[in-house]
């Protein structure tokens, strides 16, 4: 089945130790999104790619970076995780960039714990 | 930018009864309103959406209504079942950003009591 896959499902890292979260998709969608979701809160958009075009949200900390080496894969790099970065990180994809026209398909998320 | 408020934050309903979750939005130019269901340990999934040219849309036991004048939209679940227990999020687009991103409500944790 075509889907959005996130690895790992659970990630434990130490304070200040770089960590990379992975997302892959078999939907061949042009747009990939990264959201941060803290406990009992709404998903918060960090950035998204339309093909290779990177769009960063104004309030996304510099500590968060992303790479999209090809259509199928997108990575979230947290350069120096702090305790406040512990959250669920959701990857989503859509065929086109207009959210009014295209459904966003979410992966199962990676839960990040920072010790 | 768009601001979306969602109520209630938690809702417990007896199995078989109906559940209603309401959202209000701020930008009158918004024209698309999806609802997502997030089960434990999973990512959100789209369950129903509505566009501003209609006032109601139904899909089996779920329906969404839209009041453009009052700028609110609601999710209705009838004949609730245990598998309806989840967190539900409403969302609206950012028209000022070319409708390229969604803002989500704060979520409603729905519990169906057997």
């Amino acid at each position: 089945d075509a889907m959005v896959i996130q690895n790992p499902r659970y990630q434990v890292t130490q304070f200040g130790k770089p960590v990379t979260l992975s997302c892959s998709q078999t939907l061949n969608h042009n747009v990939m999104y990264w959201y941060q979701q803290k406990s009992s809160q709404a998903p918060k958009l960090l950035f998204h790619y339309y093909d290779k075009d990177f769009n960063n949200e104004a309030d996304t900390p510099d500590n968060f970076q992303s790479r999209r080496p090809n259509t199928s894969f997108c990575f979230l790099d947290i350069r120096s995780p702090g305790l406040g970065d512990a959250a669920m990180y959701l990857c989503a994809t859509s065929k086109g960039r207009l959210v009014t026209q295209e459904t966003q398909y979410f992966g199962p998320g990676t839960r990040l714990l920072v010790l | 930018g768009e601001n979306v408020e969602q109520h209630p934050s938690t809702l417990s309903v007896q199995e078989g009864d109906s559940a209603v979750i309401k959202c209000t939005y701020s930008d009158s130019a918004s024209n698309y309103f999806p609802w997502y269901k997030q089960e434990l340990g999973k990512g959100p999934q789209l369950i129903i959406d509505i566009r501003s040219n209609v006032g109601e849309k139904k899909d089996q036991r779920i329906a969404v209504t839209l009041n453009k004048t009052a700028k609110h939209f609601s999710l209705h679940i009838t004949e609730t079942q245990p598998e309806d227990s989840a967190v539900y999020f409403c969302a609206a687009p950012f028209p000022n950003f070319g409708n390229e991103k969604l803002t989500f409500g704060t979520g409603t944790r729905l519990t169906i009591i057997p």
Side-chain angles (χ1 to χ4, degrees), chain A residues 9 33 35 37 40-43 45 48 55 57 88 90 97-104 106-109, chain B residues 31-32 36 38 41-46 49 51 89 92-94 98-102 104-107 109:
Chain A
R9 294 293 310 277
Y33 306 83
Y35 289 88
Q37 185 179 28
S40 302
Q41 294 185 20
L45 184 64
H48 72 278
N55 300 270
E57 292 303 297
M88 175 77 86
L90 295 165
R97 63 196 317 170
L98 292 179
V99 299
T100 53
Q101 305 284 343
E102 308 288 351
T103 300
Q104 288 191 22
F106 284 83
Chain B
N31 60 4
Y32 172 72
Y36 285 83
Q38 186 173 24
K42 298 183 179 180
Q45 282 197 313
L46 179 72
D49 55 18
R51 300 186 186 282
F89 291 97
F94 275 87
N99 286 325
E100 291 189 12
K101 52 187 179 181
L102 292 170
F104 287 84
T106 48
R109 182 174 298 279

Coordinates of all heavy atoms in Angstrom, one line a residue, chain A residues 9 33 35 37 40-43 45 48 55 57 88 90 97-104 106-109, chain B residues 31-32 36 38 41-46 49 51 89 92-94 98-102 104-107 109:
Chain A
R9 N 10.2 5.0 15.1 CA 8.9 5.4 15.8 C 9.2 6.1 17.1 O 8.4 7.0 17.5 CB 8.0 4.2 16.0 CG 7.5 3.6 14.7 CD 6.6 4.5 13.9 NE 5.5 5.0 14.7 CZ 4.4 4.4 15.0 NH1 4.2 3.2 14.5 NH2 3.5 5.0 15.7
Y33 N 5.9 17.7 4.4 CA 5.8 18.6 5.5 C 6.4 18.0 6.8 O 6.3 16.8 7.0 CB 4.3 18.9 5.9 CG 3.4 19.4 4.7 CD1 2.8 18.6 3.8 CD2 3.2 20.8 4.6 CE1 2.0 19.0 2.8 CE2 2.3 21.3 3.6 CZ 1.8 20.4 2.7 OH 0.9 20.8 1.7
Y35 N 5.8 18.5 10.9 CA 5.1 19.1 12.0 C 5.7 18.7 13.3 O 6.1 17.6 13.5 CB 3.6 18.7 12.0 CG 2.8 19.3 10.9 CD1 2.7 18.6 9.7 CD2 2.0 20.4 11.1 CE1 1.9 19.1 8.6 CE2 1.2 20.9 10.0 CZ 1.1 20.2 8.8 OH 0.3 20.7 7.8
Q37 N 4.4 18.2 17.2 CA 3.2 18.1 18.1 C 3.6 17.8 19.5 O 4.0 16.6 19.8 CB 2.2 17.0 17.5 CG 0.9 17.0 18.2 CD -0.1 16.0 17.7 OE1 0.3 14.9 17.1 NE2 -1.4 16.2 17.8
S40 N -0.9 17.0 23.9 CA -2.2 17.6 24.0 C -2.3 18.9 23.3 O -3.1 19.8 23.6 CB -2.6 17.8 25.5 OG -2.6 16.6 26.2
Q41 N -1.4 19.1 22.3 CA -1.5 20.3 21.4 C -1.7 20.0 20.0 O -1.6 18.8 19.6 CB -0.2 21.1 21.6 CG 0.1 21.6 23.0 CD 1.3 22.5 23.1 OE1 1.8 23.0 22.1 NE2 1.8 22.7 24.3
A42 N -2.0 21.0 19.2 CA -2.2 20.8 17.8 C -0.9 20.7 17.1 O 0.2 21.2 17.5 CB -2.9 22.0 17.2
P43 N -0.8 20.0 15.9 CA 0.4 19.9 15.1 C 0.8 21.4 14.7 O 0.0 22.2 14.3 CB 0.0 19.1 13.9 CG -1.2 18.3 14.4 CD -1.9 19.2 15.3
L45 N 3.3 23.4 12.2 CA 4.2 23.3 11.0 C 5.5 23.9 11.2 O 5.7 25.0 11.7 CB 3.5 24.0 9.8 CG 4.2 23.8 8.4 CD1 4.2 22.4 8.0 CD2 3.5 24.7 7.4
H48 N 8.1 23.0 5.0 CA 7.7 22.1 4.0 C 8.5 22.3 2.7 O 9.1 23.3 2.5 CB 6.2 22.2 3.8 CG 5.8 23.4 3.0 ND1 5.6 24.6 3.6 CD2 5.4 23.6 1.7 CE1 5.2 25.5 2.7 NE2 5.1 24.9 1.5
N55 N 10.5 25.7 2.3 CA 9.7 26.8 2.9 C 9.8 26.6 4.4 O 9.2 25.7 4.9 CB 8.3 26.7 2.4 CG 8.2 26.9 0.9 OD1 8.1 28.0 0.3 ND2 8.3 25.7 0.2
E57 N 9.0 28.0 8.2 CA 8.1 28.8 9.0 C 8.9 29.9 9.7 O 10.0 29.6 10.2 CB 7.3 28.0 9.9 CG 6.3 27.1 9.3 CD 5.3 27.9 8.3 OE1 4.6 28.7 8.8 OE2 5.4 27.6 7.1
M88 N 6.2 14.8 19.6 CA 5.9 13.9 18.4 C 6.2 14.7 17.2 O 5.8 15.8 17.0 CB 4.5 13.4 18.4 CG 4.1 12.6 17.2 SD 4.7 10.9 17.3 CE 3.3 10.2 18.3
L90 N 5.7 14.8 13.2 CA 4.9 14.2 12.2 C 5.3 14.6 10.8 O 5.6 15.8 10.6 CB 3.4 14.6 12.4 CG 2.7 14.2 13.6 CD1 1.4 15.0 13.9 CD2 2.4 12.7 13.6
R97 N 0.5 21.8 -3.7 CA 0.8 22.7 -2.6 C -0.4 23.4 -2.0 O -0.4 24.0 -1.0 CB 1.9 23.7 -2.9 CG 1.6 24.6 -4.1 CD 2.8 25.3 -4.7 NE 3.7 25.7 -3.7 CZ 5.0 26.2 -3.9 NH1 5.4 26.2 -5.2 NH2 5.8 26.6 -3.0
L98 N -1.6 23.4 -2.8 CA -2.8 24.0 -2.3 C -3.5 23.1 -1.3 O -4.1 22.1 -1.7 CB -3.7 24.4 -3.4 CG -3.1 25.5 -4.4 CD1 -4.1 25.8 -5.5 CD2 -2.8 26.8 -3.6
V99 N -3.5 23.5 0.0 CA -4.2 22.6 1.0 C -5.7 22.6 0.8 O -6.4 21.7 1.3 CB -3.8 23.1 2.4 CG1 -2.3 23.0 2.7 CG2 -4.3 24.5 2.7
T100 N -6.2 23.6 0.0 CA -7.6 23.6 -0.3 C -8.0 22.6 -1.3 O -9.2 22.3 -1.6 CB -8.1 25.0 -0.7 OG1 -7.2 25.4 -1.8 CG2 -8.0 26.0 0.4
Q101 N -7.0 22.1 -2.1 CA -7.3 21.1 -3.1 C -6.8 19.7 -2.9 O -7.2 18.8 -3.4 CB -6.6 21.6 -4.4 CG -6.9 23.0 -4.9 CD -8.3 23.1 -5.5 OE1 -8.8 22.1 -5.9 NE2 -8.8 24.3 -5.5
E102 N -5.7 19.6 -2.0 CA -5.0 18.4 -1.9 C -5.1 17.9 -0.4 O -4.7 18.7 0.5 CB -3.6 18.5 -2.3 CG -3.4 19.1 -3.7 CD -3.8 18.2 -4.8 OE1 -4.0 17.0 -4.5 OE2 -3.8 18.6 -6.0
T103 N -5.4 16.7 -0.2 CA -5.3 16.1 1.1 C -3.9 15.9 1.6 O -3.0 15.5 0.8 CB -6.1 14.7 1.1 OG1 -7.4 14.9 0.7 CG2 -6.0 14.1 2.5
Q104 N -3.7 16.1 2.9 CA -2.4 15.8 3.5 C -2.5 14.5 4.1 O -3.4 14.2 4.9 CB -2.0 16.9 4.6 CG -1.7 18.2 4.0 CD -1.1 19.2 5.0 OE1 -0.5 18.8 6.0 NE2 -1.1 20.5 4.7
F106 N -0.6 11.8 6.6 CA 0.3 11.8 7.7 C 0.9 10.5 7.9 O 0.3 9.4 7.8 CB -0.3 12.3 9.0 CG -0.6 13.8 9.0 CD1 -1.7 14.3 8.5 CD2 0.3 14.6 9.7 CE1 -1.9 15.7 8.5 CE2 0.1 16.0 9.8 CZ -1.0 16.5 9.2
G107 N 2.2 10.5 8.3 CA 2.8 9.3 8.8 C 2.5 9.1 10.3 O 1.8 9.9 10.9
P108 N 2.9 8.0 10.9 CA 2.6 7.6 12.2 C 3.3 8.5 13.3 O 2.9 8.4 14.5 CB 3.0 6.1 12.4 CG 4.1 6.0 11.4 CD 3.7 6.9 10.2
G109 N 4.3 9.2 12.8 CA 5.1 10.0 13.8 C 6.3 9.4 14.4 O 6.3 8.1 14.5
Chain B
N31 N -11.8 29.1 2.9 CA -12.8 28.4 2.1 C -12.8 26.9 2.1 O -13.5 26.3 1.3 CB -12.8 28.9 0.6 CG -11.4 28.6 0.0 OD1 -10.6 28.0 0.6 ND2 -11.3 29.0 -1.2
Y32 N -12.0 26.4 3.0 CA -11.9 24.9 3.1 C -11.6 24.5 4.5 O -10.7 25.1 5.2 CB -10.7 24.5 2.2 CG -10.4 23.0 2.3 CD1 -11.2 22.0 1.8 CD2 -9.2 22.6 2.9 CE1 -10.9 20.7 1.9 CE2 -8.9 21.3 3.0 CZ -9.7 20.3 2.5 OH -9.4 19.0 2.6
Y36 N -9.7 16.1 11.1 CA -8.7 15.0 11.2 C -9.0 14.2 12.4 O -9.4 14.8 13.5 CB -7.3 15.5 11.2 CG -6.8 15.9 9.8 CD1 -7.0 17.2 9.4 CD2 -6.0 15.1 9.0 CE1 -6.5 17.6 8.1 CE2 -5.5 15.5 7.8 CZ -5.8 16.7 7.4 OH -5.3 17.1 6.1
Q38 N -7.1 11.5 15.0 CA -5.8 11.0 15.4 C -6.0 9.9 16.5 O -6.4 10.3 17.7 CB -4.9 12.1 15.9 CG -3.5 11.6 16.2 CD -2.5 12.7 16.5 OE1 -2.9 13.7 16.9 NE2 -1.2 12.4 16.2
G41 N -1.1 6.8 19.1 CA 0.1 6.2 18.4 C 0.1 6.4 16.9 O 1.0 5.8 16.2
K42 N -0.8 7.1 16.3 CA -0.9 7.2 14.9 C -0.9 8.7 14.5 O -1.2 9.6 15.3 CB -2.2 6.6 14.3 CG -2.2 5.0 14.6 CD -3.4 4.4 13.9 CE -3.5 2.9 14.1 NZ -4.7 2.3 13.5
G43 N -0.6 8.9 13.2 CA -0.7 10.3 12.7 C -2.2 10.7 12.4 O -3.1 9.8 12.3
P44 N -2.5 11.9 12.3 CA -3.9 12.4 11.9 C -4.3 11.8 10.6 O -3.5 11.7 9.7 CB -3.8 13.9 11.9 CG -2.6 14.2 12.7 CD -1.6 13.1 12.5
Q45 N -5.6 11.5 10.5 CA -6.1 11.1 9.2 C -7.3 11.9 8.8 O -8.2 12.1 9.7 CB -6.5 9.6 9.2 CG -5.4 8.6 9.1 CD -5.9 7.2 8.8 OE1 -6.8 6.8 9.4 NE2 -5.3 6.6 7.8
L46 N -7.4 12.4 7.6 CA -8.6 13.2 7.2 C -9.8 12.3 7.2 O -9.8 11.2 6.7 CB -8.3 13.7 5.8 CG -9.5 14.5 5.1 CD1 -9.6 15.8 5.8 CD2 -9.3 14.6 3.6
D49 N -14.3 16.7 5.0 CA -13.9 18.1 4.8 C -15.1 18.8 4.1 O -16.0 18.2 3.6 CB -12.7 18.3 4.0 CG -12.7 17.6 2.6 OD1 -13.8 17.2 2.2 OD2 -11.7 17.4 2.0
R51 N -16.2 22.6 1.9 CA -15.8 23.8 1.2 C -16.9 24.9 1.4 O -18.0 24.5 1.7 CB -15.6 23.6 -0.3 CG -14.5 22.5 -0.5 CD -14.2 22.4 -2.0 NE -13.2 21.2 -2.1 CZ -11.9 21.3 -1.8 NH1 -11.4 22.5 -1.4 NH2 -11.1 20.3 -1.9
F89 N -9.1 16.9 15.3 CA -8.6 18.2 15.0 C -9.4 18.8 13.9 O -9.6 18.2 12.8 CB -7.1 18.2 14.7 CG -6.2 17.8 15.8 CD1 -5.8 16.5 15.9 CD2 -5.8 18.8 16.7 CE1 -4.9 16.2 17.0 CE2 -4.9 18.5 17.7 CZ -4.5 17.1 17.9
A92 N -8.0 24.9 9.2 CA -8.4 25.9 8.2 C -7.1 26.4 7.5 O -6.0 26.4 8.1 CB -9.1 27.1 8.8
P93 N -7.3 26.8 6.2 CA -6.1 27.2 5.5 C -5.7 28.7 5.8 O -6.5 29.4 6.4 CB -6.5 27.1 4.0 CG -8.0 27.4 4.1 CD -8.5 26.8 5.4
F94 N -4.5 29.1 5.4 CA -4.0 30.4 5.5 C -4.2 31.1 4.2 O -3.3 31.0 3.3 CB -2.5 30.5 5.9 CG -2.2 30.3 7.3 CD1 -2.0 29.1 7.9 CD2 -2.0 31.4 8.1 CE1 -1.7 29.0 9.2 CE2 -1.6 31.3 9.4 CZ -1.4 30.1 10.0
G98 N -1.3 32.0 0.4 CA -1.6 31.3 -0.8 C -2.2 29.9 -0.6 O -2.1 29.1 -1.4
N99 N -2.9 29.8 0.6 CA -3.5 28.5 0.9 C -2.6 27.3 0.8 O -2.9 26.2 0.3 CB -4.7 28.2 0.0 CG -5.9 29.1 0.3 OD1 -6.1 29.4 1.5 ND2 -6.7 29.5 -0.7
E100 N -1.3 27.6 1.2 CA -0.3 26.5 1.2 C -0.1 25.8 2.5 O 0.7 24.9 2.6 CB 1.0 27.1 0.6 CG 0.9 27.4 -0.9 CD 2.3 27.8 -1.4 OE1 3.3 27.5 -0.8 OE2 2.3 28.3 -2.6
K101 N -0.8 26.3 3.5 CA -0.6 25.6 4.8 C -1.9 25.7 5.6 O -2.8 26.5 5.4 CB 0.6 26.2 5.6 CG 0.6 27.6 5.8 CD 1.9 28.1 6.4 CE 1.9 29.6 6.6 NZ 3.2 30.0 7.2
L102 N -2.0 24.7 6.5 CA -3.2 24.6 7.4 C -2.8 25.1 8.8 O -1.7 24.9 9.3 CB -3.6 23.2 7.5 CG -4.3 22.5 6.3 CD1 -4.4 21.0 6.5 CD2 -5.6 23.2 6.0
F104 N -4.2 24.3 12.7 CA -5.0 23.3 13.3 C -5.6 23.9 14.6 O -5.0 24.7 15.3 CB -4.2 22.0 13.7 CG -3.9 21.2 12.5 CD1 -2.8 21.5 11.7 CD2 -4.6 20.1 12.1 CE1 -2.4 20.7 10.6 CE2 -4.3 19.3 11.0 CZ -3.2 19.6 10.3
G105 N -6.8 23.4 14.9 CA -7.4 23.7 16.2 C -6.6 22.9 17.3 O -5.7 22.1 17.0
T106 N -7.0 23.1 18.5 CA -6.2 22.5 19.7 C -6.6 21.1 20.0 O -6.0 20.5 20.8 CB -6.4 23.4 20.9 OG1 -7.8 23.7 21.1 CG2 -5.6 24.7 20.8
G107 N -7.6 20.6 19.3 CA -8.0 19.2 19.4 C -9.0 18.9 20.5 O -9.2 19.7 21.5
R109 N -10.4 15.6 22.7 CA -10.3 14.1 23.0 C -11.7 13.6 23.2 O -12.3 13.9 24.2 CB -9.4 13.9 24.2 CG -9.2 12.5 24.6 CD -8.2 12.3 25.7 NE -6.9 12.8 25.3 CZ -6.0 12.2 24.6 NH1 -6.3 10.9 24.2 NH2 -4.8 12.7 24.3

